[in-house]
Amino acid sequence: MSNYAKEIEEAKEAFGDLLEQQLERVELLKQEEDFTDFNNKDEIVIGIVGGDGIGPYITKEAEDILRFLLDEDVKKGRIKFKEIDGLTIENRAEHNKAIPDDVLEELKECDVILKGPTTTPREGDGWPNIESANVAMRKALDLFANVRPVSIPEEGIDWTFYRENTEGGYAVGSNGLHITDDLAIDFTVATEQGSERIIRAAFDYAQKTGKNKVTVVTKANVIKTTDGKFLEKAKEIAKEYPDVEMDDWYIDIMTAKLIDPKRRKEFKVLVLPNLYGDILTDEAAEMQGGVGTAGSINMGKKYAMFEAIHGSAPRMVEEGRAQYADPSSIIRAAGMLLDHIGYNKEAEKLQKALAICSNFEKKVELTGRDTGATGTEFSEYLKETLKDPDLDQKYKSYITE
Ligand code: IPM
Ligand code: MG
């Protein structure tokens, strides 16, 4: 008998509970329905979640742009907006919950959600140790695919990351075990269903867009069981897509190849377990111009959530300059939302107008302070650009210069 018989018994019990929860989740995955078909929906509810810090300021601008582009269908009642206020760190701390129950109920009344940044408590910052609202929402609404596009046209880079969003190290991320003072254990999870649906989503996308290449990234040479399963599943699914080429890389060399100017253009669609996706997408976004420039879709079969992947910048609020925060990243996320619910023309228009306002014409400059424009001034400029009947021409003239 070891000296730690009691600790081991307790750990076994806790581990048993985790297994129960994960197996329950698998049962739900088995019953999952197909993706919502928005074209056949009479009513679409868009939830607007301000979040923390600058969140409510920039989200307001994004909502304004959405209302502008969807005006007709808002009037017809096909599009409804639902503002959800309770996802703030104060309210979450008060309920000691990553997502308070009433807020979760409100979220579930929406089809798609546009979300501002939310504060993730970390040790020593004075907030209770609650789970990140993002991670909790991904789990609660089963938003299993984190899709992050990164493009650098002048270098021929056009990557789309399909990051698995509910499993891996995140599945029980807040429920690891301190066995003794000396030994701490975390768990990483892969399921048949969870791996299959993200890999299939990546292959479907690669086929549909004609990109025809999927790169699978794991560390299956070391994390043999879970990453091994992910990679095996990918090889199996690849056989169903003869037009789509598949290659596989380990995450370490992948992080290196992403900054290799000779090789990196070759990657198109990348599919990867949660934590590797978290890391690699930050690296990729930084190349595009900073982590704040990338948009991110958290997509499930029923719900989808769209967010900017920058933080809530509490300092800007403290210093009274939140109105100068740059809303373009969350507006880009709003564009992805439009695409997702079937308003593809509006999404394309927005993408062009954003490129004109932020990259080319730049009549309004944001500096984050009163030396530059406010977020509202930027979105007014964007709306003027969207109204321009020659928007297409203007965009073309810039990209062919
Ligand atoms: C992201 C973020 C989150 C993650 C944090 C805020 C928990 O880094 O969306 O990539 O790790 O997934
Ligand atoms: Mg991240």
Side-chain angles (χ1 to χ4, degrees), residues 308-328:
I309 62 170
H310 55 68
S312 59
R315 185 130 44 100
M316 288 190 82
V317 183
E318 279 157 31
E319 293 173 3
R321 49 189 179 89
Q323 68 272 33
Y324 298 104
D326 184 350
S328 54

Side-chain angles (χ1 to χ4, degrees), residues 253-301:
I253 188 69
M254 188 71 229
T255 57
K257 287 298 144 192
L258 219 56
I259 54 171
D260 175 350
K262 288 195 294 294
R263 299 299 301 275
R264 61 185 181 185
K265 292 197 264 302
E266 293 165 20
F267 303 113
K268 301 286 174 213
V269 181
L270 300 94
V271 64
L272 54 185
N274 211 339
L275 184 58
Y276 311 139
D278 179 44
I279 297 165
L280 207 66
T281 53
D282 265 10
E283 189 193 12
E286 185 66 26
M287 287 177 214
Q288 175 184 255
V291 290
T293 61
S296 162
I297 315 178
N298 294 270
M299 185 168 69
K301 300 234 165 148

Side-chain angles (χ1 to χ4, degrees), residues 23-91:
L23 288 167
E24 248 168 58
R25 192 170 66 80
V26 170
E27 285 313 309
L28 292 177
L29 291 185
K30 285 185 187 165
Q31 291 157 25
E32 192 176 56
E33 287 174 20
D34 209 354
F35 281 103
T36 307
D37 178 4
F38 285 100
N39 292 323
N40 288 324
K41 251 181 147 277
D42 297 335
E43 191 189 283
I44 301 175
V45 181
I46 304 178
I48 303 286
V49 177
D52 294 307
I54 58 169
Y57 295 83
I58 55 173
T59 315
K60 178 170 67 71
E61 304 307 336
E63 176 179 353
D64 190 42
I65 297 292
L66 283 175
R67 284 185 183 274
F68 174 77
L69 285 166
L70 297 170
D71 186 44
E72 244 171 69
D73 282 7
V74 173
K75 285 192 186 125
K76 283 191 205 145
R78 181 170 191 242
I79 298 283
K80 296 222 158 60
F81 285 89
K82 183 174 169 66
E83 270 116 53
I84 301 173
D85 296 325
L87 202 69
T88 59
I89 185 67
E90 293 81 9
N91 194 37

Side-chain angles (χ1 to χ4, degrees), residues 6-249:
K6 181 167 156 282
E7 285 82 355
I8 292 174
E9 267 325 300
E10 278 169 11
K12 278 187 188 165
E13 200 165 306
F15 185 52
D17 290 345
L18 291 180
L19 296 182
E20 287 289 349
Q21 286 160 18
Q22 290 304 311
L23 288 167
E24 248 168 58
R25 192 170 66 80
V26 170
E27 285 313 309
L28 292 177
L29 291 185
K30 285 185 187 165
Q31 291 157 25
E32 192 176 56
E33 287 174 20
D34 209 354
F35 281 103
T36 307
D37 178 4
F38 285 100
N39 292 323
N40 288 324
K41 251 181 147 277
D42 297 335
E43 191 189 283
I44 301 175
V45 181
I46 304 178
I48 303 286
V49 177
D52 294 307
I54 58 169
Y57 295 83
I58 55 173
T59 315
K60 178 170 67 71
E61 304 307 336
E63 176 179 353
D64 190 42
I65 297 292
L66 283 175
R67 284 185 183 274
F68 174 77
L69 285 166
L70 297 170
D71 186 44
E72 244 171 69
D73 282 7
V74 173
K75 285 192 186 125
K76 283 191 205 145
R78 181 170 191 242
I79 298 283
K80 296 222 158 60
F81 285 89
K82 183 174 169 66
E83 270 116 53
I84 301 173
D85 296 325
L87 202 69
T88 59
I89 185 67
E90 293 81 9
N91 194 37
R92 296 162 58 218
E94 195 186 311
H95 290 85
N96 200 15
K97 271 203 139 154
I99 306 178
D101 295 341
D102 54 335
V103 178
L104 184 58
E105 281 321 302
E106 285 187 84
L107 291 170
K108 287 186 172 169
E109 286 163 25
C110 307
D111 295 289
V112 287
I113 295 152
L114 185 68
K115 179 183 146 306
T118 38
T119 302
T120 298
R122 61 180 91 187
E123 228 166 287
D125 67 2
W127 295 112
N129 181 27
I130 38 180
E131 188 177 37
S132 134
N134 280 26
V135 175
M137 201 185 293
R138 291 168 188 167
K139 284 188 202 162
L141 304 180
D142 201 20
L143 310 173
F144 67 89
N146 195 325
V147 185
R148 294 182 168 176
V150 166
S151 87
I152 312 173
E154 56 280 21
E155 291 187 38
I157 290 174
D158 180 17
W159 299 321
T160 308
F161 294 89
Y162 273 72
R163 162 187 175 189
E164 203 294 319
N165 215 18
T166 50
E167 303 198 336
Y170 285 63
V172 284
S174 328
N175 296 307
L177 302 176
H178 288 282
I179 312 291
T180 66
D181 285 347
D182 301 316
L183 177 64
I185 304 245
D186 267 316
F187 302 98
T188 187
V189 176
T191 68
E192 179 76 12
Q193 292 73 15
S195 308
E196 166 150 9
R197 60 184 182 172
I198 185 73
I199 294 164
R200 208 172 271 291
F203 273 89
D204 280 341
Y205 173 78
Q207 187 163 57
K208 190 180 77 193
T209 53
K211 296 189 174 176
N212 285 341
K213 181 164 174 198
V214 173
T215 300
V216 184
V217 186
T218 66
K219 187 73 188 177
N221 52 341
V222 177
I223 315 293
K224 291 185 193 282
T225 312
T226 45
D227 280 5
K229 186 173 188 65
F230 195 90
L231 181 55
E232 278 317 304
K233 200 73 216 162
K235 287 183 184 159
E236 200 182 303
I237 289 172
K239 292 195 193 120
E240 293 175 41
Y241 295 81
D243 301 337
V244 181
E245 181 196 339
M246 177 195 136
D247 59 359
D248 88 87
W249 292 74

